Amino acid sequence: MNAIDKLVALLSKLPGIGKKSAGRMAYHMLDSDPSYANTLAEQIASLHTRIKRCSLCGSFTESDPCPICTDPGRDPALICVVERAQDVRVIEESREFRGRFHVLGGLIAPLEGIGPDDLTIGQLISRIRREGTREVILAMNPTVEGDTTALYLQKMLKETGAEVTRLASGLPVGGDLEYADRLTLSRSFRGRVKM
Amino acid sequence: MNAIDKLVALLSKLPGIGKKSAGRMAYHMLDSDPSYANTLAEQIASLHTRIKRCSLCGSFTESDPCPICTDPGRDPALICVVERAQDVRVIEESREFRGRFHVLGGLIAPLEGIGPDDLTIGQLISRIRREGTREVILAMNPTVEGDTTALYLQKMLKETGAEVTRLASGLPVGGDLEYADRLTLSRSFRGRVKM
């Protein structure tokens, strides 16, 4: 296999990247100035040494604890629980949340052999007790696994005394009733708010 | 800017990759085994040193002349003229063509300041004379620039005595070689018309 084919094979393993996209990416690297490919290669090579997990919240960070956990301007009594570290990025970009995070490291999925003990639930509970958390916002996706995990967490966190809430689920803003699936519609009815 | 943001910014420069895809790619690299990121980084870093232009046809290759130009099983009297080096890959994958290639390095586009002298037309003509080419198949995209370039080439190549044909417009007008499926490509090869 030649160098281009090897690169295309590697790039095709990335999420959402098929063989054609990978090919286009590889040729773009070849057509561009070599400095682009070199900088990109360096960034990818140094990724795992520069980025660690925050020992407090579990999100990806260059400094431990992460800038979010150490930011005095953020509400320390508010914890947003997410499935994966990349969810922190998505929520941060929305600028809708000014508390701290907790990365579960997955969702309960018995069929895939992922049980509660595989997640950072124990750490979350001791963190809530230690930090005197006022509210825990569950931000897992509204899927079967997300719902199961949220339900389990709700039970487990009851004893901590913290209020447990979950992100509203319903019609996406700008969306169309016509394209909403039945479950989403059903949830938006059940979660309807007074105007 | 932290390491992830830097990587996302670099990946976003790739064709067809937006900020969200770039983010997903970066987190995939972080979530995967470090060996994947390292191998990928090595491939990207060595790309420009390992891949050169073939001095005969202008396509990307690890050895010069490229394996296509030196393959005795391919018809040396048949030259397929393409716009860019990546078009060679697309045509090779269709397995519809068993001659050799010539990469123009672009298309005539007066508005972008690209004239005939910016392309490898001189090399093509001397190659045809030297190699006694029987037929030149023009395989540029069926776009305004592609048509202009094909017309120009047809005139320029007349004196060489080689037959000049062009891929049939089985390719959807306004489209791109890269997105053609194998059957469409195959039809456009078989239905190529004399110019």
Side-chain angles (χ1 to χ4, degrees), chain A residues 21-39:
Chain A
S21 311
R24 242 174 294 135
M25 288 161 67
Y27 281 106
H28 179 86
M29 293 178 198
L30 267 171
D31 284 333
S32 307
D33 191 89
S35 68
Y36 169 71
N38 291 335
T39 318

Side-chain angles (χ1 to χ4, degrees), chain A:
Chain A
M1 212 186 336
N2 73 35
I4 298 182
D5 290 336
K6 254 184 230 159
L7 178 57
V8 167
L10 282 167
L11 291 171
S12 308
K13 289 183 186 166
L14 292 169
I17 306 298
K19 226 183 136 197
K20 285 211 171 182
S21 311
R24 242 174 294 135
M25 288 161 67
Y27 281 106
H28 179 86
M29 293 178 198
L30 267 171
D31 284 333
S32 307
D33 191 89
S35 68
Y36 169 71
N38 291 335
T39 318
L40 179 60
E42 277 164 31
Q43 278 300 321
I44 295 174
S46 66
L47 200 59
H48 280 268
T49 51
R50 289 181 61 185
I51 303 286
K52 315 251 166 250
R53 293 267 180 182
C54 172
S55 55
L56 292 177
C57 72
S59 65
F60 290 124
T61 176
E62 284 184 76
S63 53
D64 187 16
C66 74
I68 295 174
C69 282
T70 52
D71 184 347
R74 300 184 74 118
D75 188 344
L78 204 56
I79 292 183
C80 178
V81 180
V82 294
E83 179 192 346
R84 303 160 306 169
Q86 48 262 58
D87 296 331
V88 172
R89 184 192 188 83
V90 178
I91 293 174
E92 278 301 280
E93 278 176 356
S94 79
R95 293 197 187 126
E96 281 299 326
F97 177 68
R98 295 298 300 166
R100 295 188 180 161
F101 289 95
H102 189 87
V103 178
L104 274 187
L107 294 175
I108 298 172
L111 289 179
E112 293 169 43
I114 304 173
D117 295 342
D118 299 312
L119 311 178
T120 61
I121 296 175
Q123 288 97 307
L124 175 62
I125 291 172
S126 49
R127 213 182 135 188
I128 293 169
R129 289 209 172 108
R130 194 174 61 239
E131 301 178 5
T133 307
R134 187 178 70 245
E135 182 180 348
V136 178
I137 304 175
L138 304 181
M140 40 276 320
N141 289 330
T143 56
V144 175
E145 289 85 3
D147 292 351
T148 309
T149 311
L151 223 62
Y152 182 84
L153 277 175
Q154 186 216 355
K155 275 182 203 158
M156 294 299 286
L157 301 184
K158 209 168 259 171
E159 43 169 328
T160 65
E163 188 178 2
V164 179
T165 58
R166 190 168 178 206
L167 289 193
S169 169
L171 300 172
V173 175
D176 193 315
L177 264 184
E178 205 178 334
Y179 300 111
D181 59 294
R182 223 191 110 187
L183 275 174
T184 304
L185 255 180
S186 149
R187 280 211 188 173
S188 63
F189 266 102
R190 273 186 282 133
R192 66 188 183 274
V193 287
K194 212 172 166 179
M195 292 188 66

Side-chain angles (χ1 to χ4, degrees), chain B residues 66-85:
Chain B
C66 74
I68 295 174
C69 282
T70 52
D71 184 346
R74 300 184 75 117
D75 189 346
L78 204 56
I79 292 183
C80 178
V81 180
V82 294
E83 178 193 347
R84 303 161 305 169

Side-chain angles (χ1 to χ4, degrees), chain B residues 110-194:
Chain B
L111 290 178
E112 293 168 44
I114 305 173
D117 296 343
D118 299 312
L119 312 178
T120 61
I121 296 176
Q123 288 97 307
L124 175 62
I125 291 173
S126 50
R127 214 183 134 189
I128 293 169
R129 289 209 171 109
R130 194 173 63 238
E131 300 179 5
T133 308
R134 188 178 71 245
E135 181 180 348
V136 178
I137 304 174
L138 304 182
M140 41 274 323
N141 290 328
T143 57
V144 176
E145 290 84 5
D147 292 351
T148 308
T149 310
L151 223 62
Y152 182 84
L153 277 176
Q154 186 216 355
K155 278 181 199 157
M156 295 297 287
L157 301 184
K158 211 168 260 174
E159 43 168 327
T160 65
E163 188 177 2
V164 179
T165 57
R166 190 172 178 203
L167 289 194
S169 226
L171 303 172
V173 175
D176 194 304
L177 261 185
E178 207 165 12
Y179 295 103
D181 58 297
R182 215 194 124 180
L183 272 176
T184 308
L185 256 179
S186 154
R187 277 197 198 173
S188 60
F189 263 100
R190 274 184 281 132
R192 65 188 187 270
V193 287
K194 207 171 168 178

